[in-house]
Amino acid sequence: MSQVKIPVDLILSKMADNAEKVQSRAHKASEVLLGELDTDLAKTPYDVVYREDRVQLKHYRPRTKIRYRTPLLVVYALINRETMLDLQPGRSVVERFLDAGIDLYMIDWGYPTRKDRFLGFDEHINGYMDDIVDLIRERNETDKINLMGICMGGTFSVIYSALHPEKIKNLVTTVTPTNFDTKKGLLHVWMEHIDVDRVVDTFGNLPADMMNFGFLLLNPARLMIDKYVGFMENIDNKQFVENFVRMDKWIFDSPDLPGEVFRQFVKDCYQGNKLLKNQLEVGGQRVDLNRLTMPLLNIYGKYDHLVPPEACEKLIDHVGSKDTENLCLNTGHIGIYVSSKYQEAFAPKIASWLKARDGMPERKPRSIKTAATSSAAVVQPISSKKKASGKRSRNTTEEDAFQVEPASDAKAMGNAR
Amino acid sequence: MENKDQDPFGMMAMVNAWLKPMGELWEDMAKRSDSARKPPESQTKNSGKAPPNVQASLVAALKNCQAMASAMATPESVNAILKGSGEMPEVLLKLFQSYLGSYMQVQQNLINSIGRLGASVEAYRFEDIDENLCRLWTDIYEGEFRRYFQIPQLGLLRSYQEKANQLADQYNLLQAQLAEFLRMLSLPFSHAMQVMQEKLGELAEKGELSDDTHEYYNLWIKVLEGHFMTLFQTPEYVEALNRTVNALADFTAARDAVAEDLLSLVPVARKSEVDDMAREIFELKKRLKKIEKDNNRG
């Protein structure tokens, strides 16, 4: 057997160095942790313009001139909170949309209680969502609105657009599961055999803690160990600590999931894959994707472990629309919204896609409370591949999708991107 | 006098022989007790005729006992007892066989597990995860112990006792299931550790060991992540996960049932009552909205 060579002296000296660094870090960390930390989320100003039960509609105050004919409604999932789109100033999809001149509304689903356990797809889609869409149409004196859905909110948006196509002008889906017949994502594997009736009948709503534990189990090595090792290594960095705490707050700020929604989502979607087969029924109506005739932009993450590309990319092949685009980004489920790199491109891409289809605004915003400033996200429309007639369907990678002018005034706004 | 036909085994004689000294003993004890508690004679002049309560109840008890012994001494009863006692060893043997079988199974598995120790770990493979002791314990519990919680209960408190038994049963099942699930989650750690040891050995032999501890950590976390990802895709894990979720749901339902019984003693609305009310409100709201929409259209 050959002689084993272990650099004991080097390892020991490195450990001694590390011990000194740890001591100094601990000293600085105490200053950081005991000092004032800014860990608030969702600071962009908004007005609540609708409230029913636990649900409310946020209307964001414009930061610049409205440049779109049609307002945009963002529908977040019922899992976790919509605050992810507005984590902090300078790292906010909401800010990007506002700076692009979009009149922005967003649904806050609130925190379901036991009394909400009976509310299913129908009550959320044909109830709350439809009421909200009607309210926006009335407020903005428009027949149609633009709709953007995120994750489960995207699935709701697809269903809504198929049931009420006359009210939707453009549809944007992001990390939206529509094809559940795949074994790629762990959720798909786990949900296949779950006894959802037993869970819902016992718990009423799906408890958030149970859900969070399930999400942690998707990657325990990273989410339960490495993440906190990283935190300890940067505990003396105030900005890192603030961002970490903010993100951690968001991750564990989880409402319970209404029982009937969970039951329907698992049975009809994960176990039955009824949406793509046009077999899903909501409120007694069949959801026919052929009725989805408005332009559709479908964005998803290549490394998404919750909603893998296989769960998203098939949608455009099943809709009636002639103007569809798939965009796959080299990131994960959350990275699309929170990573600086993708924020730099993701929101401007949506803004430019909408602008190409929504023209210039004809109306000024009802009230602009702050002085208009130049937009941080100056968007250059993507070169159009539109044909005079026929179906315009594209699969785009991020390399050819992002043709965004650098935000020249980003530094002036103090954005840390 | 005992009739030989009525008492062929002389049971009455034996019982009477035992009862006589016992009766005398207790009578004597009762008298002593009474005299010790007896008030001064002036106070009991007119109340000494009736037998003391203790003595009277003792006499009554002895009489009952004698009557019962007499009944038990009939040939039919004795035959029944003897038949039952004849079957006892068989029942005990069955029980013993059953427990011995379980014990041997545990032993066998332990030996198998020990046999596997030291075997080189093939990265990202979990074929043996079905052979685990926790699952075996759950099987034994379900097969052997569980039935004691399912013995039919009787009487006024039957439903309460049944719910309490159900809770204990579901709690045990949940614990067993959790142990199995956690054991499964611990597998990637042990696998990753063994892979690390092998890799470190290789590096040490080549003289390529790094002096940066971060590198070892990064390697370990990567290996660990890989093992978790592989484990999570296995049918055994998915099955264990589903069983754990079901066990948790069953335990919660059993706990709620007991809690509801307790809550019925205090002026607090029960969960099921709140659920009923929520359902009624939900249905009323739905009807109201439909009427509103119809009216708006009209």
Side-chain angles (χ1 to χ4, degrees):
Chain A
M1 196 176 160
S2 60
Q3 180 69 40
V4 172
K5 295 162 202 160
I6 303 174
V8 180
D9 51 341
L10 282 177
I11 291 174
L12 286 176
S13 86
K14 196 97 181 177
M15 281 173 75
D17 283 354
N18 281 344
E20 271 178 38
K21 278 182 196 165
V22 167
Q23 204 175 3
S24 142
R25 192 186 297 156
H27 179 70
K28 281 184 196 163
S30 64
E31 285 172 11
V32 170
L33 295 176
L34 294 172
E36 269 193 33
L37 290 171
D38 176 11
T39 59
D40 291 343
L41 287 89
K43 283 178 158 180
T44 308
Y46 62 85
D47 300 304
V48 175
V49 294
Y50 162 94
R51 201 188 299 268
E52 187 181 352
D53 306 330
R54 68 180 205 278
V55 181
Q56 60 180 27
L57 179 66
K58 294 174 175 178
H59 179 230
Y60 287 93
R61 294 176 192 161
R63 288 155 61 109
T64 184
K65 186 184 165 191
I66 299 294
R67 299 183 185 135
Y68 294 77
R69 284 200 183 97
T70 314
L72 174 67
L73 170 65
V74 176
V75 183
Y76 197 77
L78 267 78
I79 298 161
N80 282 110
R81 302 266 297 151
E82 78 293 343
T83 46
M84 186 195 66
L85 295 184
D86 190 23
L87 272 185
Q88 67 190 82
R91 207 159 147 233
S92 158
V93 173
V94 167
E95 267 186 1
R96 297 273 185 176
F97 281 156
L98 293 177
D99 289 342
I102 292 174
D103 190 12
L104 185 65
Y105 292 86
M106 185 146 67
I107 296 179
D108 170 2
W109 292 113
Y111 294 86
T113 60
R114 202 162 169 90
K115 79 174 175 60
D116 297 307
R117 61 178 294 193
F118 303 108
L119 305 180
F121 278 21
D122 184 30
E123 289 70 32
H124 283 89
I125 295 168
N126 290 321
Y128 297 125
M129 265 182 84
D130 194 38
D131 288 349
I132 284 169
V133 170
D134 285 346
L135 179 109
I136 297 171
R137 288 163 66 218
E138 199 181 314
R139 269 175 65 95
N140 289 58
E141 295 165 12
T142 178
D143 291 336
K144 296 185 175 192
I145 67 159
N146 292 328
L147 187 60
M148 171 177 159
I150 293 163
C151 193
M152 181 197 259
T155 313
F156 279 12
S157 299
V158 168
I159 296 170
Y160 182 83
S161 303
L163 293 175
H164 306 274
E166 73 284 356
K167 297 180 185 178
I168 303 301
K169 190 169 187 183
N170 296 293
L171 175 63
V172 180
T173 50
T174 60
V175 294
T176 294
T178 44
N179 170 37
F180 298 87
D181 186 18
T182 172
K183 300 257 183 207
K184 282 288 166 67
L186 281 177
L187 276 186
H188 292 259
V189 176
W190 294 354
M191 289 295 143
E192 205 179 334
H193 301 293
I194 190 172
D195 187 351
V196 67
D197 287 332
R198 193 185 271 191
V199 173
V200 173
D201 292 345
T202 307
F203 292 104
N205 295 329
L206 182 67
D209 289 340
M210 201 186 210
M211 224 170 358
N212 274 332
F213 186 60
F215 289 136
L216 289 178
L217 283 184
L218 287 169
N219 194 345
R222 297 285 172 195
L223 301 177
M224 291 162 92
I225 301 172
D226 196 42
K227 178 180 154 186
Y228 295 100
V229 169
F231 176 71
M232 294 308 290
E233 282 177 346
N234 293 282
I235 200 168
D236 53 340
N237 179 339
K238 188 174 183 234
Q239 201 183 352
F240 181 92
V241 170
E242 284 179 343
N243 288 344
F244 188 95
V245 173
R246 220 177 266 126
M247 198 64 201
D248 213 55
K249 261 187 181 178
W250 173 77
I251 286 171
F252 295 108
D253 177 17
S254 303
D256 294 349
L257 182 62
E260 286 309 315
V261 168
F262 181 59
R263 197 197 303 266
Q264 231 170 326
F265 206 53
V266 171
K267 277 190 165 176
D268 289 349
C269 297
Y270 279 102
Q271 293 174 354
N273 194 28
K274 290 183 178 174
L275 184 59
L276 279 196
K277 295 178 193 165
N278 290 335
Q279 290 174 352
L280 182 68
E281 278 198 19
V282 174
Q285 283 180 285
R286 193 169 63 86
V287 180
D288 182 0
L289 293 182
N290 290 310
R291 296 186 71 203
L292 227 144
T293 50
M294 67 291 299
L296 166 67
L297 172 63
N298 185 32
I299 302 177
Y300 48 89
K302 190 176 177 182
Y303 305 112
D304 190 335
H305 61 297
L306 289 171
V307 186
E310 291 77 8
C312 309
E313 63 197 4
K314 285 189 176 171
L315 176 66
I316 64 166
D317 300 329
H318 289 76
V319 296
S321 173
K322 290 179 178 176
D323 179 6
T324 59
E325 184 180 345
N326 264 350
L327 171 59
C328 182
L329 304 178
N330 294 331
T331 183
H333 194 69
I334 306 295
I336 288 182
Y337 312 98
V338 299
S339 100
S340 304
K341 181 188 167 190
Y342 288 98
Q343 277 208 354
E344 199 75 50
F346 163 77
K349 161 70 189 175
I350 294 172
S352 66
W353 184 86
L354 282 175
K355 197 156 196 177
R357 286 150 186 85
D358 207 22
M360 291 300 292
E362 290 171 344
R363 234 182 6 264
K364 286 185 178 177
R366 291 190 165 190
S367 61
I368 300 175
K369 301 211 171 177
T370 52
T373 54
S374 58
S375 169
V378 184
V379 179
Q380 183 179 323
I382 295 170
S383 55
S384 177
K385 293 180 185 171
K386 194 174 186 176
K387 293 174 187 167
S389 63
K391 193 157 179 165
R392 179 171 59 152
S393 178
R394 289 201 292 158
N395 282 297
T396 320
T397 59
E398 68 178 56
E399 285 76 17
D400 52 26
F402 297 148
Q403 299 170 22
V404 183
E405 275 184 11
S408 55
D409 54 352
K411 277 184 187 170
M413 289 177 70
N415 293 343
R417 289 171 185 149
Chain B
M1 284 288 271
E2 290 90 0
N3 188 335
K4 279 272 174 193
D5 291 329
Q6 280 185 340
D7 187 9
F9 303 98
M11 292 286 283
M12 270 313 278
M14 278 164 65
V15 170
N16 281 339
W18 175 75
L19 280 177
K20 202 182 167 201
M22 286 302 287
E24 283 169 359
L25 172 75
W26 286 107
E27 197 176 344
D28 186 43
M29 294 250 319
K31 274 179 188 165
R32 282 169 195 271
S33 161
D34 277 345
S35 64
R37 284 188 287 134
K38 204 173 268 180
E41 204 171 321
S42 58
Q43 289 178 21
T44 55
K45 265 187 179 172
N46 299 320
S47 58
K49 286 184 180 174
N53 285 341
V54 176
Q55 205 173 337
S57 52
L58 190 64
V59 170
L62 280 171
K63 273 184 184 169
N64 287 340
C65 199
Q66 208 165 3
M68 267 185 66
S70 160
M72 294 297 290
T74 60
E76 297 81 19
S77 305
V78 171
N79 282 339
I81 291 169
L82 287 176
K83 195 181 170 205
S85 64
E87 282 173 4
M88 274 304 278
E90 204 181 327
V91 174
L92 286 173
L93 188 67
K94 269 189 186 170
L95 262 173
F96 182 69
Q97 273 178 337
S98 154
Y99 286 121
L100 191 69
S102 308
Y103 177 72
M104 291 302 284
Q105 226 176 329
V106 173
Q107 285 289 316
Q108 186 63 39
N109 245 277
L110 264 174
I111 290 164
N112 287 346
S113 302
I114 291 165
R116 282 201 303 275
L117 285 181
S120 176
V121 176
E122 232 178 310
Y124 310 126
R125 289 181 80 89
F126 289 94
E127 309 94 333
D128 297 336
I129 55 175
D130 56 330
E131 295 176 23
N132 68 75
L133 293 174
C134 300
R135 181 72 223 149
L136 191 74
W137 161 244
T138 311
D139 289 343
I140 292 169
Y141 174 77
E142 285 178 352
E144 303 300 333
F145 295 102
R146 203 179 178 198
R147 53 191 170 178
Y148 292 104
F149 291 108
Q150 291 168 344
I151 293 172
Q153 302 298 314
L154 302 169
L156 182 67
L157 301 177
R158 180 190 57 79
S159 70
Y160 301 110
Q161 188 58 51
E162 271 179 3
K163 285 176 193 169
N165 284 356
Q166 176 80 353
L167 178 59
D169 179 33
Q170 293 302 338
Y171 176 77
N172 290 335
L173 279 176
L174 176 64
Q175 293 303 318
Q177 201 49 58
L178 277 177
E180 185 196 345
F181 186 62
L182 291 176
R183 183 202 162 272
M184 209 169 252
L185 286 180
S186 73
L187 283 176
F189 286 97
S190 55
H191 279 60
M193 200 49 82
Q194 255 177 295
V195 171
M196 278 299 288
Q197 281 172 356
E198 286 177 8
K199 287 204 172 180
L200 287 180
E202 283 170 22
L203 288 173
E205 274 184 21
K206 287 180 196 166
E208 291 172 2
L209 276 177
S210 169
D211 56 351
D212 186 358
T213 47
H214 273 88
E215 280 185 30
Y216 300 120
Y217 168 75
N218 287 337
L219 182 63
W220 175 73
I221 203 86
K222 209 175 158 186
V223 172
L224 183 66
E225 190 182 13
H227 276 109
F228 267 121
M229 288 303 131
T230 313
L231 172 72
F232 290 160
Q233 304 269 3
T234 60
E236 289 87 354
Y237 176 79
V238 176
E239 203 184 312
L241 178 70
N242 282 334
R243 275 202 305 266
T244 308
V245 171
N246 289 345
L248 182 63
D250 291 346
F251 167 72
T252 307
R255 185 203 60 194
D256 287 355
V258 172
E260 287 225 337
D261 281 346
L262 292 172
L263 277 177
S264 66
L265 300 172
V266 289
V268 176
R270 288 181 288 178
K271 216 179 197 178
S272 55
E273 290 167 341
V274 174
D275 280 352
D276 285 347
M277 209 154 62
R279 184 182 278 282
E280 275 176 32
I281 292 171
F282 161 73
E283 278 162 7
L284 280 173
K285 275 181 87 172
K286 212 170 175 180
R287 283 172 63 187
L288 189 68
K289 275 198 164 187
K290 192 174 176 294
I291 294 168
E292 263 181 359
K293 279 196 175 175
D294 289 348
N295 274 352
N296 288 342
R297 274 184 217 137

